[in-house]
Amino acid sequence: MNILLLAGSPSTPSRSTRLLHHVGEKLALLGHRYVKLHVRDLPAQALLHADVSDAELEVAREQVAQADAVVIATPVYKAAYSGILKAFLDLLPQDGLNGKLVLPLATGGSQSHMLALDYGLRPVLSALDAKHVLPSIYATDQQINWSAEHGLTLDPAIAKRVADGIENLSNSLHALSEVSLNTFDSIPFSSVRCSV
């Protein structure tokens, strides 16, 4: 099963991207493979003009298409997810997340922006036909700390939510994998004429 880590922050480094990479590393320890896609690294002109013929955007769209699960991380600005992430999601086909599990992550300055994921991002993910949007994880800037010496440190409350989200996604991926291993294509029967 393939996981796409989709970073929607316009800046680097960012708390949301560090949280996303943390989730990816934990999923890797559970045996999952992932690839990273940073929307900010895509060509800005093509992204803003929705030039779906651009080669780099085609590759990015194909990464989404190939993923079984997408972990999306975004900062929250003025009670909304990032504009750069919105620009990328707008380039996906109407069923661009069809059959995929999605785990939304967000970071923001205070708890007052916490519902931006559920009221802003979740409806877009559902409109893109995601199979299942897992419970969102929102962390304030105070709950995520970074230092060159210690790396990423999470507040215990948010660490628990992140661990639960990782476990939920991992278990869901394993369940999907088992279902796909146990499914088979039906064998078409040819019509046989019987004469009596």
Side-chain angles (χ1 to χ4, degrees), residues 39-40 42-51 57 84 87-88 91:
V39 179
R40 71 179 304 279
L42 296 173
Q45 190 78 3
L47 188 62
L48 293 175
H49 289 281
D51 181 5
L57 291 186
I84 194 171
F88 180 71
L91 295 176

Side-chain angles (χ1 to χ4, degrees), residues 73-124:
T74 179
V76 173
Y77 301 116
K78 299 183 180 174
Y81 60 98
S82 74
I84 194 171
L85 178 59
K86 173 70 167 131
F88 180 71
L89 294 176
D90 285 347
L91 295 176
L92 299 179
Q94 187 170 354
D95 62 349
L97 295 177
N98 180 261
K100 301 179 191 322
L101 300 169
V102 181
L103 175 60
L105 310 173
T107 58
S110 72
Q111 291 290 346
S112 61
H113 298 299
M114 147 181 205
L115 294 178
L117 282 172
D118 290 331
Y119 291 123
L121 186 56
R122 184 176 291 271
V124 173

Side-chain angles (χ1 to χ4, degrees), residues 23 27 34 40 47 50 70 97 117 122 133 154 165 191 193:
V23 169
L27 287 166
Y34 66 83
R40 71 179 304 279
L47 188 62
V70 181
L97 295 177
L117 282 172
R122 184 176 291 271
V133 182
L154 301 177
S191 57
R193 291 190 174 170

Side-chain angles (χ1 to χ4, degrees), residues 113-184:
H113 298 299
M114 147 181 205
L115 294 178
L117 282 172
D118 290 331
Y119 291 123
L121 186 56
R122 184 176 291 271
V124 173
L125 301 175
S126 295
L128 289 169
D129 209 19
K131 178 181 186 72
H132 182 58
V133 182
L134 300 169
S136 305
I137 300 169
Y138 177 86
T140 64
D141 293 347
Q142 294 76 26
Q143 293 175 310
I144 299 176
N145 294 300
W146 170 263
S147 72
E149 183 181 346
H150 300 292
L152 186 72
T153 306
L154 301 177
D155 177 80
I158 201 64
K160 171 76 168 99
R161 284 193 50 107
V162 169
D164 289 347
I166 292 166
E167 182 181 10
N168 193 357
L169 179 57
S170 181
N171 290 341
S172 298
L173 283 168
H174 286 306
L176 276 180
S177 180
E178 287 178 22
V179 168
S180 65
L181 288 175
N182 294 325
T183 58
F184 55 90

